[in-house]
Amino acid sequence: MSAARKLVVPIVGIGLLVALIGLPAQADNKGMEILEARCSGCHDLKGPAPATLKELWARKGPDLFYAGNKYKRAWLESWLQKPKRIRPAGYFYVDHIKPTEDGDVIDKSTLKPHMALSAEEAHDVAEALMSLKANSHLITKGEYKPGKISLTMGEMRFDKFRGCMACHEIEPGYGGLSGPEVYTVARRLQEDFMMSYMRDPQAWDPKIFMPNMHLREGDLEKFVHYFRALSEEDFE
Amino acid sequence: MKVKLTKSATPLVTIMLALFPALAVVAGEKAEDNYRTYCWQCHGMNGDGNGINVRDMSVQPRDHTYGKEMASRSDDELFMAIKEGGPAVNKSVLMPHWDGIFSDEEIRDLVRYLRQRCQCEHGKY
């Protein structure tokens, strides 16, 4: 081996190693920079969640300090490039409704679109969000065991037995409007998170307007089966 | 037991709440604020049972301004309905438990607030 070659091989090797180790960290940093510069005005990246109504009312968007325990990475990356409203009445419904003679309606003039990111930015931000893992003690990894339930039985449990449809749409244009749509929730959220959040929403977010529904342990898993079945439907 | 604060204690409480915001949860929220945040979604901004969620409901939420109907419920029934949900008083499952959010004192305040809204008492309208 020539002297020049002896020198080049280790340099290339070290370069590759640096690239392999350094790239995720770089994406993480770039994503975090974007989060802090462009997202932290509306999203809490550090916690804790609001402990008073005054703090709840001041919150403009979902808390992100436990994003890595909540969202599915692929969904984040895709949604950030093409954001689409998930809560028909906005993040906090009280700020986006008005009374009419026929009852309260959503005041669409108050709803603003979410900013979109480029593919590269979305990749970096999704990477950074997945590193935010507060409240890990509330998650039991692998708790959800995949299974099946028919859409009819799932809807029966979700609506008739438990009344959850009062606040959530189970298909576009059908269901309640103050909470997030559930027909896309299994694309968005990690299954173990859904189990934990439904078991005790206030453990994650003490003042959130979703009550503790006192669901039986068996219900939790069946609800997630139902959400997964819904997410396979094509409602577009 | 209801604790009454003297005027001299008020600044101390304010300082404590500023230093320890979590205490505010223990101290409780105003009934009107709780009603606006949690009840409007179904019972509506006017409290008449026409909130934004009613479109596809099988049972209409209670109209809290309808004195005749509200007078037929005792304070204990209203307390139970808020704390443990509709089924606890043989009403709809669409009314959930709120015990994960409200303290008993906050629920009692809400019952008093509902009596103001309906301008009624149990058996008196």
Side-chain angles (χ1 to χ4, degrees), chain A residues 51-53 55-57 89 92-94 97-99 103-106 159-163 165-167 169 173-178 202 207-214, chain B residues 21-22 24-25 28-30 33-46 48 50-58 83 93-94 96-101 106:
Chain A
T52 66
L53 287 185
E55 289 172 15
L56 181 86
W57 297 342
F92 182 37
Y93 77 96
V94 168
I97 55 175
K98 59 182 181 185
D104 299 349
V105 295
I106 295 170
D159 180 20
K160 297 282 182 298
F161 297 171
R162 291 301 187 168
M165 209 187 83
C167 300
E169 285 192 328
Y174 185 56
L177 301 172
S178 62
Q202 280 66 45
K207 287 290 184 179
I208 191 62
F209 42 95
M210 169 169 164
N212 184 328
M213 301 296 289
H214 295 269
Chain B
V25 176
E29 307 279 359
K30 284 186 199 158
D33 293 342
N34 275 331
Y35 190 83
R36 173 177 182 265
T37 306
Y38 302 102
C39 311
W40 273 14
Q41 48 191 330
C42 298
H43 294 280
M45 299 173 89
N46 295 323
D48 56 4
N50 283 310
I52 49 160
N53 282 340
V54 306
R55 183 188 60 189
D56 298 314
M57 281 187 186
S58 50
K83 182 168 181 169
V93 72
L94 294 171
H97 294 243
W98 289 100
D99 57 351
I101 293 175
E106 285 179 301

Side-chain angles (χ1 to χ4, degrees), chain A residues 12-52:
Chain A
V12 170
I14 290 167
L16 273 175
L17 198 64
V18 168
L20 283 172
I21 296 169
L23 269 183
Q26 261 179 12
D28 218 48
N29 290 343
K30 267 164 51 187
M32 202 51 81
E33 279 168 21
I34 295 171
L35 277 170
E36 278 164 10
R38 292 159 64 183
C39 312
S40 62
C42 295
H43 298 281
D44 188 350
L45 305 173
K46 295 188 167 70
T52 66

